[in-house]
Amino acid sequence: MYKIFFRLVFKRLDPEQAHHLAFRWIRLAARVPVLRTFLAAALAPRYKELRTEALGLRMHGPFGLAAGFDKNAVGIDGMAMLGFDHVEIGTVTGEPQPGNPKQRLFRLVKDRALINRMGFNNDGSLRVAARLASRTPVFKPVVGVNIGKTKVVPEEEAVADYVKSAERLAPYADYLVVNVSSPNTPGLRNLQATEALRPLLSAVREAADRTVSARRVPLLVKIAPDLADEDVDAVADLAVELGLDGIIATNTTIAREGLGLKSDPSLVKETGGLSGAPLKERSLEVLRRLYARVGDRITLVGVGGIENAEDAWQRILAGATLVQGYSAFIYEGPFWGRAIHKGLAARLATSPYATLADAVGADVRKTA
């Protein structure tokens, strides 16, 4: 049913307009008590065997919504209603910004992919923090907060910009993510180099600890799939050295060659980050490499090209304790979360592993 609706309605709309329309419907549904209860029962069934502990947090399952869908923390309950076990909001910047000029979001339907050059359009950390502070949750998913650099802030002042966001948002975050891997903010990816990343992560860690003394706010870093293998290793080693809680692998890619893209070349050549199915192979490669390097010392989150339960299962076997999705939601619709959970439970039941935690990294350990 959804695929027919997508073809007849959403596909005819500008992708960003379609996003805002669908998100508005989701938020409205989550405000109606009887309706949201019915939808949660239908779309977000619980499987005891999928219960997950990660980052010191308990979740109903390992499947979450990646950053980018709910940039301003306006629809957390709605996304939980649709079956996401954790919701990562953002990317939020120190100051509000409109993002890049439109059109800035493109569907590659034949490739089940998206290209975006949104440019961190968001309300800024002060307003988002106020929104989180005033939130009265109906559902209680784990809420991650993804922070990035304000575009107008020079690279040499990036640390202070991130620290400002961390201080404002850490009190309301179940975990924090430092995003240094979006291709749509000039100079941002330069911060992935370990000489720049070390002081940045250390400063954000100190800011979170200084602001929230009653608990430790887990800190993760999100990396790009375009990093060379030796740079992936360097980030992994740095994460262990600094006592980081996790790595999210991976963000969108600027690559186009070698991905077998079938969409109109005029779309493929659009600048921005490519996400969705074509990212699947490289994202999985990066995840395997990270797990081989860090093992169980830090939590890995697999994201990029996850379309179905089999993709999610492969990420878990490759070392991911948590998995996230976004792009496939556009193509699969509201029953996507239900299908992922049902499929994961079925795969676990027929596997040699007693628990989901036992399966994490199993394929990598076999080849070690």
mmCIF file of all heavy atoms in Angstrom, residues 145-173:
data_model
loop_
_atom_site.group_PDB
_atom_site.id
_atom_site.type_symbol
_atom_site.label_atom_id
_atom_site.label_comp_id
_atom_site.label_asym_id
_atom_site.label_seq_id
_atom_site.Cartn_x
_atom_site.Cartn_y
_atom_site.Cartn_z
ATOM 1 N N VAL A 145 21.861 12.925 20.700
ATOM 2 C CA VAL A 145 21.952 14.286 20.171
ATOM 3 C C VAL A 145 23.237 14.413 19.368
ATOM 4 O O VAL A 145 24.334 14.241 19.899
ATOM 5 C CB VAL A 145 21.921 15.339 21.290
ATOM 6 C CG1 VAL A 145 22.060 16.739 20.703
ATOM 7 C CG2 VAL A 145 20.632 15.229 22.110
ATOM 8 N N ASN A 146 23.084 14.701 18.104
ATOM 9 C CA ASN A 146 24.199 14.793 17.155
ATOM 10 C C ASN A 146 24.535 16.271 16.970
ATOM 11 O O ASN A 146 23.668 17.076 16.616
ATOM 12 C CB ASN A 146 23.763 14.155 15.838
ATOM 13 C CG ASN A 146 24.843 14.080 14.799
ATOM 14 O OD1 ASN A 146 25.402 15.093 14.408
ATOM 15 N ND2 ASN A 146 25.115 12.886 14.299
ATOM 16 N N ILE A 147 25.798 16.646 17.228
ATOM 17 C CA ILE A 147 26.195 18.056 17.130
ATOM 18 C C ILE A 147 27.250 18.256 16.047
ATOM 19 O O ILE A 147 28.082 17.381 15.804
ATOM 20 C CB ILE A 147 26.703 18.616 18.482
ATOM 21 C CG1 ILE A 147 27.912 17.821 18.999
ATOM 22 C CG2 ILE A 147 25.580 18.607 19.506
ATOM 23 C CD1 ILE A 147 28.523 18.404 20.274
ATOM 24 N N GLY A 148 27.190 19.416 15.409
ATOM 25 C CA GLY A 148 28.125 19.734 14.336
ATOM 26 C C GLY A 148 28.571 21.182 14.408
ATOM 27 O O GLY A 148 28.149 21.946 15.291
ATOM 28 N N LYS A 149 29.396 21.570 13.453
ATOM 29 C CA LYS A 149 29.960 22.921 13.422
ATOM 30 C C LYS A 149 29.046 23.890 12.680
ATOM 31 O O LYS A 149 28.557 23.583 11.597
ATOM 32 C CB LYS A 149 31.341 22.915 12.757
ATOM 33 C CG LYS A 149 32.050 24.269 12.794
ATOM 34 C CD LYS A 149 33.407 24.200 12.110
ATOM 35 C CE LYS A 149 33.302 24.317 10.602
ATOM 36 N NZ LYS A 149 32.854 25.662 10.158
ATOM 37 N N THR A 150 28.854 25.064 13.264
ATOM 38 C CA THR A 150 28.140 26.139 12.575
ATOM 39 C C THR A 150 28.957 26.553 11.348
ATOM 40 O O THR A 150 30.177 26.729 11.422
ATOM 41 C CB THR A 150 27.951 27.341 13.508
ATOM 42 O OG1 THR A 150 27.308 26.904 14.711
ATOM 43 C CG2 THR A 150 27.107 28.411 12.845
ATOM 44 N N LYS A 151 28.286 26.718 10.222
ATOM 45 C CA LYS A 151 28.985 26.958 8.959
ATOM 46 C C LYS A 151 29.880 28.194 9.001
ATOM 47 O O LYS A 151 31.007 28.177 8.489
ATOM 48 C CB LYS A 151 27.962 27.097 7.819
ATOM 49 C CG LYS A 151 28.594 27.252 6.441
ATOM 50 C CD LYS A 151 27.532 27.285 5.350
ATOM 51 C CE LYS A 151 28.158 27.395 3.971
ATOM 52 N NZ LYS A 151 27.120 27.396 2.904
ATOM 53 N N VAL A 152 29.407 29.286 9.611
ATOM 54 C CA VAL A 152 30.163 30.544 9.577
ATOM 55 C C VAL A 152 31.323 30.562 10.573
ATOM 56 O O VAL A 152 32.140 31.483 10.557
ATOM 57 C CB VAL A 152 29.245 31.756 9.838
ATOM 58 C CG1 VAL A 152 28.192 31.881 8.746
ATOM 59 C CG2 VAL A 152 28.593 31.672 11.219
ATOM 60 N N VAL A 153 31.396 29.567 11.422
ATOM 61 C CA VAL A 153 32.479 29.509 12.405
ATOM 62 C C VAL A 153 33.747 29.011 11.722
ATOM 63 O O VAL A 153 33.746 27.955 11.098
ATOM 64 C CB VAL A 153 32.109 28.576 13.572
ATOM 65 C CG1 VAL A 153 33.318 28.301 14.463
ATOM 66 C CG2 VAL A 153 30.977 29.184 14.392
ATOM 67 N N PRO A 154 34.844 29.742 11.818
ATOM 68 C CA PRO A 154 36.095 29.290 11.190
ATOM 69 C C PRO A 154 36.569 27.970 11.800
ATOM 70 O O PRO A 154 36.274 27.660 12.957
ATOM 71 C CB PRO A 154 37.080 30.420 11.522
ATOM 72 C CG PRO A 154 36.246 31.589 11.895
ATOM 73 C CD PRO A 154 34.992 31.048 12.484
ATOM 74 N N GLU A 155 37.310 27.225 10.999
ATOM 75 C CA GLU A 155 37.784 25.917 11.440
ATOM 76 C C GLU A 155 38.579 26.005 12.739
ATOM 77 O O GLU A 155 38.470 25.141 13.615
ATOM 78 C CB GLU A 155 38.640 25.293 10.328
ATOM 79 C CG GLU A 155 38.834 23.804 10.454
ATOM 80 C CD GLU A 155 39.547 23.237 9.248
ATOM 81 O OE1 GLU A 155 39.271 23.672 8.105
ATOM 82 O OE2 GLU A 155 40.396 22.348 9.447
ATOM 83 N N GLU A 156 39.366 27.083 12.891
ATOM 84 C CA GLU A 156 40.193 27.213 14.094
ATOM 85 C C GLU A 156 39.360 27.512 15.347
ATOM 86 O O GLU A 156 39.861 27.407 16.479
ATOM 87 C CB GLU A 156 41.251 28.311 13.911
ATOM 88 C CG GLU A 156 40.711 29.686 13.615
ATOM 89 C CD GLU A 156 40.522 29.949 12.117
ATOM 90 O OE1 GLU A 156 40.467 28.962 11.334
ATOM 91 O OE2 GLU A 156 40.428 31.134 11.736
ATOM 92 N N GLU A 157 38.088 27.857 15.173
ATOM 93 C CA GLU A 157 37.209 28.108 16.315
ATOM 94 C C GLU A 157 36.165 27.007 16.493
ATOM 95 O O GLU A 157 35.219 27.130 17.275
ATOM 96 C CB GLU A 157 36.507 29.460 16.141
ATOM 97 C CG GLU A 157 37.456 30.655 16.107
ATOM 98 C CD GLU A 157 36.751 31.971 15.813
ATOM 99 O OE1 GLU A 157 35.507 32.030 16.007
ATOM 100 O OE2 GLU A 157 37.423 32.929 15.386
ATOM 101 N N ALA A 158 36.355 25.899 15.776
ATOM 102 C CA ALA A 158 35.368 24.822 15.784
ATOM 103 C C ALA A 158 35.187 24.206 17.170
ATOM 104 O O ALA A 158 34.072 23.890 17.587
ATOM 105 C CB ALA A 158 35.760 23.744 14.780
ATOM 106 N N VAL A 159 36.286 24.027 17.893
ATOM 107 C CA VAL A 159 36.199 23.388 19.207
ATOM 108 C C VAL A 159 35.249 24.157 20.119
ATOM 109 O O VAL A 159 34.369 23.568 20.773
ATOM 110 C CB VAL A 159 37.595 23.257 19.853
ATOM 111 C CG1 VAL A 159 37.471 22.794 21.300
ATOM 112 C CG2 VAL A 159 38.454 22.270 19.070
ATOM 113 N N ALA A 160 35.391 25.464 20.171
ATOM 114 C CA ALA A 160 34.530 26.279 21.030
ATOM 115 C C ALA A 160 33.067 26.170 20.604
ATOM 116 O O ALA A 160 32.152 26.178 21.452
ATOM 117 C CB ALA A 160 34.986 27.735 20.987
ATOM 118 N N ASP A 161 32.830 26.062 19.308
ATOM 119 C CA ASP A 161 31.464 25.945 18.799
ATOM 120 C C ASP A 161 30.836 24.625 19.239
ATOM 121 O O ASP A 161 29.680 24.583 19.682
ATOM 122 C CB ASP A 161 31.486 26.056 17.277
ATOM 123 C CG ASP A 161 30.107 26.230 16.672
ATOM 124 O OD1 ASP A 161 29.381 27.146 17.105
ATOM 125 O OD2 ASP A 161 29.750 25.439 15.776
ATOM 126 N N TYR A 162 31.590 23.540 19.122
ATOM 127 C CA TYR A 162 31.095 22.233 19.574
ATOM 128 C C TYR A 162 30.872 22.240 21.088
ATOM 129 O O TYR A 162 29.886 21.682 21.584
ATOM 130 C CB TYR A 162 32.084 21.127 19.213
ATOM 131 C CG TYR A 162 31.989 20.602 17.803
ATOM 132 C CD1 TYR A 162 32.765 21.134 16.784
ATOM 133 C CD2 TYR A 162 31.139 19.540 17.490
ATOM 134 C CE1 TYR A 162 32.702 20.637 15.487
ATOM 135 C CE2 TYR A 162 31.071 19.031 16.207
ATOM 136 C CZ TYR A 162 31.853 19.587 15.197
ATOM 137 O OH TYR A 162 31.785 19.084 13.926
ATOM 138 N N VAL A 163 31.797 22.834 21.822
ATOM 139 C CA VAL A 163 31.687 22.876 23.281
ATOM 140 C C VAL A 163 30.415 23.615 23.699
ATOM 141 O O VAL A 163 29.694 23.195 24.621
ATOM 142 C CB VAL A 163 32.936 23.528 23.902
ATOM 143 C CG1 VAL A 163 32.681 23.936 25.355
ATOM 144 C CG2 VAL A 163 34.120 22.573 23.825
ATOM 145 N N LYS A 164 30.111 24.701 23.020
ATOM 146 C CA LYS A 164 28.886 25.453 23.320
ATOM 147 C C LYS A 164 27.651 24.576 23.170
ATOM 148 O O LYS A 164 26.770 24.559 24.047
ATOM 149 C CB LYS A 164 28.800 26.669 22.396
ATOM 150 C CG LYS A 164 27.531 27.489 22.569
ATOM 151 C CD LYS A 164 27.638 28.829 21.877
ATOM 152 C CE LYS A 164 27.903 28.704 20.385
ATOM 153 N NZ LYS A 164 27.964 30.028 19.734
ATOM 154 N N SER A 165 27.594 23.820 22.081
ATOM 155 C CA SER A 165 26.452 22.922 21.866
ATOM 156 C C SER A 165 26.417 21.818 22.907
ATOM 157 O O SER A 165 25.347 21.456 23.414
ATOM 158 C CB SER A 165 26.526 22.317 20.462
ATOM 159 O OG SER A 165 26.327 23.299 19.473
ATOM 160 N N ALA A 166 27.599 21.263 23.227
ATOM 161 C CA ALA A 166 27.650 20.184 24.219
ATOM 162 C C ALA A 166 27.158 20.663 25.575
ATOM 163 O O ALA A 166 26.396 19.972 26.266
ATOM 164 C CB ALA A 166 29.077 19.649 24.326
ATOM 165 N N GLU A 167 27.569 21.842 25.975
ATOM 166 C CA GLU A 167 27.142 22.379 27.266
ATOM 167 C C GLU A 167 25.629 22.586 27.312
ATOM 168 O O GLU A 167 24.980 22.344 28.339
ATOM 169 C CB GLU A 167 27.857 23.699 27.536
ATOM 170 C CG GLU A 167 29.340 23.548 27.842
ATOM 171 C CD GLU A 167 30.061 24.875 27.970
ATOM 172 O OE1 GLU A 167 29.531 25.899 27.469
ATOM 173 O OE2 GLU A 167 31.150 24.882 28.566
ATOM 174 N N ARG A 168 25.064 23.019 26.204
ATOM 175 C CA ARG A 168 23.623 23.278 26.171
ATOM 176 C C ARG A 168 22.802 21.995 26.083
ATOM 177 O O ARG A 168 21.706 21.905 26.666
ATOM 178 C CB ARG A 168 23.295 24.170 24.969
ATOM 179 C CG ARG A 168 23.794 25.594 25.104
ATOM 180 C CD ARG A 168 23.626 26.356 23.795
ATOM 181 N NE ARG A 168 23.945 27.775 23.940
ATOM 182 C CZ ARG A 168 24.009 28.624 22.913
ATOM 183 N NH1 ARG A 168 23.786 28.196 21.674
ATOM 184 N NH2 ARG A 168 24.293 29.891 23.123
ATOM 185 N N LEU A 169 23.313 20.994 25.375
ATOM 186 C CA LEU A 169 22.499 19.828 25.037
ATOM 187 C C LEU A 169 22.775 18.585 25.867
ATOM 188 O O LEU A 169 21.911 17.716 25.981
ATOM 189 C CB LEU A 169 22.690 19.505 23.549
ATOM 190 C CG LEU A 169 22.129 20.551 22.590
ATOM 191 C CD1 LEU A 169 22.703 20.381 21.194
ATOM 192 C CD2 LEU A 169 20.604 20.468 22.552
ATOM 193 N N ALA A 170 23.959 18.483 26.448
ATOM 194 C CA ALA A 170 24.316 17.281 27.202
ATOM 195 C C ALA A 170 23.307 16.932 28.307
ATOM 196 O O ALA A 170 23.021 15.739 28.517
ATOM 197 C CB ALA A 170 25.720 17.421 27.793
ATOM 198 N N PRO A 171 22.738 17.904 29.016
ATOM 199 C CA PRO A 171 21.794 17.543 30.085
ATOM 200 C C PRO A 171 20.566 16.779 29.591
ATOM 201 O O PRO A 171 19.914 16.091 30.379
ATOM 202 C CB PRO A 171 21.386 18.908 30.670
ATOM 203 C CG PRO A 171 22.532 19.813 30.359
ATOM 204 C CD PRO A 171 23.009 19.362 29.012
ATOM 205 N N TYR A 172 20.260 16.893 28.307
ATOM 206 C CA TYR A 172 19.039 16.277 27.770
ATOM 207 C C TYR A 172 19.346 15.107 26.829
ATOM 208 O O TYR A 172 18.430 14.543 26.233
ATOM 209 C CB TYR A 172 18.218 17.343 27.034
ATOM 210 C CG TYR A 172 18.126 18.619 27.827
ATOM 211 C CD1 TYR A 172 18.817 19.770 27.427
ATOM 212 C CD2 TYR A 172 17.398 18.665 29.011
ATOM 213 C CE1 TYR A 172 18.768 20.927 28.180
ATOM 214 C CE2 TYR A 172 17.347 19.830 29.771
ATOM 215 C CZ TYR A 172 18.039 20.952 29.348
ATOM 216 O OH TYR A 172 17.989 22.096 30.111
ATOM 217 N N ALA A 173 20.610 14.753 26.709
ATOM 218 C CA ALA A 173 21.029 13.705 25.777
ATOM 219 C C ALA A 173 21.286 12.400 26.509
ATOM 220 O O ALA A 173 21.993 12.385 27.519
ATOM 221 C CB ALA A 173 22.292 14.143 25.035
#
